Amino acid sequence: MFDTVLWISVTFLSLAMIGLIYRVIKGPTVADRVVALDAIGISLVSVVALVSILLDTNAFLDIILLIGILAFIGTVAFSKFLEKGVIMEYDRNGDR
Amino acid sequence: MTDLEIAKFFAGIFILLGAFLSLVTAFGLIRLPDVYTRNHAASKSATLGVMFVLLGTFIYFYFVENHFNSRLLLGIAFILLTSPVAGHLIGRAAYNSGVKPTDLTVQDDLATAKKTLAAMDQQK
């Protein structure tokens, strides 16, 4: 019974990721694609959690935190690039 | 029902609810008309969905495997903190890079605020 619930959830998440990939491909603006990629990263976290239950191991649970951090950093970098054109600003002199 | 079955029941409920919320996110991203509404769908329901799935996983590992995994709790806290911030940043970047909201929008307070600021700058 519990296994059935897990497989149904994996199916839901796979369908969700297919829909998000559709938005990444079609999305009219860059911001749409970034939003969809962030949501894909977040969905990947739950897929890893479900796979670690299905495989009955706790070795993959570090990956959850890792994917969360990487998705956040990637989105922040993309939005800074969209807004300012640079990701790291060069202001060593600090005269701005 | 034994304790094990009750734990599995609650873990299954949480995981199924989280997966359903992720599906709702995908439908929101497909069907909503512009970036801001899609961002609204993505940053809220995806966050809640993944938090539910991680909570179900934590319950499973704690009660069934007798393994207290603090990284799952840390992941829940981290996603709760960072995912709305990422949504805010990308929404602001979209507005400042000139993405227009949908035609159904009736109120744009940020545009009027920017206009009055520009007018005040001109008066100086």
Side-chain angles (χ1 to χ4, degrees), chain A residues 2 5-6 8-13 15-17 19-20 22-23 27-32 34-36 38-39 42-43 45-47 49-50 52-53 56-58 61-62 64-65 68-69 71-72 75-76 78-80 82-84, chain B residues 8-9 11-13 15-16 18-20 22-23 25-26 29-32 34-35 38-39 42 46-47 49-50 53-54 56-57 60-61 65 67 69 71-72 74-75 78-79 82-83 85-87 89-90 92-94 96-97 99:
Chain A
F2 188 65
V5 168
L6 286 185
I8 290 172
S9 307
V10 171
T11 315
F12 277 3
L13 284 167
L15 289 176
M17 286 170 87
L20 296 175
Y22 165 79
R23 181 50 69 193
T29 65
V30 184
D32 275 314
V34 178
V35 168
D38 190 42
I42 295 287
S43 309
V45 169
S46 30
V47 170
L50 290 186
S52 70
I53 293 181
D56 219 1
T57 173
N58 51 34
L61 297 179
D62 298 334
I64 289 170
L65 206 48
I69 292 170
F72 177 60
T75 310
V76 170
F78 255 122
S79 56
K80 279 197 81 171
L82 275 182
E83 198 167 343
K84 298 176 180 167
Chain B
K8 274 191 176 181
F9 175 76
I13 291 285
I15 286 172
L16 201 58
F20 176 71
S22 296
L23 200 59
T25 307
L29 255 75
I30 291 172
R31 292 188 48 121
L32 287 173
D34 70 342
V35 181
R38 280 178 210 141
N39 194 3
T47 309
V50 76
V53 171
L54 290 185
T57 314
Y60 178 81
F61 275 107
E65 312 258 315
H67 173 255
N69 199 300
R71 288 172 218 115
L72 279 173
L74 210 57
F78 188 79
I79 285 171
T82 59
S83 184
V85 176
L89 283 175
I90 191 62
R92 198 181 64 173
N96 286 340
S97 61
V99 179

